[in-house]
Amino acid sequence: MTIRPDQTADEAAVIGLWREGGMMRWSDPRKDMARKMTVNPEWFLVGESDGRVMATCMIGYEGQRGWINLLAVAPTWQGGGQGRARMAEAERILRAEGCAKINLQVRATHTRAIAFDEKLGFATEDFVNLGKRLVDD
């Protein structure tokens, strides 16, 4: 599987992968993708195999903390190191920018994702995550 930036033609496949993984619940994925394409679009990575999108990873950085969002791997590719490869590439990009810390937001009920992240060295921190929607999608 190759890692490359997202392209407009990937939209349906990316959204399908996110829906399959139960990742899209509160916002319009098309609008989320369009927003990302206005800020470091090259940091919206997809994993491609035989012309098909099989993984995604969206990276953000505001100068203090890096964020990794929407890490997804198609079920047929899970367990083969593809999620790990996406995270490694995200870390490489963020380190090159001078990022000192990466944050993840994972639903508390997504225990498989939490276990995966912990294997990569992430730890639960004693914070409360607060959010406020500025745009209703």
Side-chain angles (χ1 to χ4, degrees), residues 36 40 43 57-69 87 90-105 122 125:
K36 178 58 185 164
N40 298 110
W43 290 4
C57 180
M58 195 180 285
I59 305 161
Y61 180 55
E62 42 38 25
Q64 183 170 351
R65 300 281 188 264
W67 292 88
I68 299 173
N69 300 298
M87 290 293 267
E91 286 189 30
R92 184 195 69 73
I93 288 168
L94 290 168
R95 282 180 197 274
E97 291 295 313
C99 180
K101 184 175 187 287
I102 297 173
N103 288 347
L104 305 175
Q105 289 181 319
F122 290 90
E125 297 178 327

Side-chain angles (χ1 to χ4, degrees), residues 6-131:
D6 174 72
Q7 301 168 357
T8 304
D10 298 326
E11 183 178 273
V14 167
I15 292 170
L17 180 61
W18 289 347
R19 285 206 170 113
E20 183 178 19
M23 301 175 82
M24 300 311 307
R25 296 190 181 169
W26 293 288
S27 59
D28 180 334
R30 285 174 181 79
K31 290 179 181 177
D32 288 341
M33 294 172 75
R35 288 180 190 115
K36 178 58 185 164
M37 298 314 278
T38 66
V39 180
N40 298 110
E42 69 279 9
W43 290 4
F44 182 7
L45 306 176
V46 298
E48 179 183 64
S49 178
D50 296 324
R52 294 185 56 204
V53 172
M54 304 303 284
T56 65
C57 180
M58 195 180 285
I59 305 161
Y61 180 55
E62 42 38 25
Q64 183 170 351
R65 300 281 188 264
W67 292 88
I68 299 173
N69 300 298
L70 298 166
L71 175 70
V73 178
T76 56
W77 283 85
Q78 290 177 6
Q82 296 306 320
R84 186 177 296 272
R86 245 54 53 240
M87 290 293 267
E89 180 63 5
E91 286 189 30
R92 184 195 69 73
I93 288 168
L94 290 168
R95 282 180 197 274
E97 291 295 313
C99 180
K101 184 175 187 287
I102 297 173
N103 288 347
L104 305 175
Q105 289 181 319
V106 182
R107 288 186 183 92
T109 58
H110 201 335
T111 56
R112 282 187 61 209
I114 293 168
F116 169 78
D117 296 330
E118 288 174 341
K119 286 180 186 175
L120 298 180
F122 290 90
T124 302
E125 297 178 327
D126 191 21
F127 293 100
V128 173
N129 182 63
L130 303 172

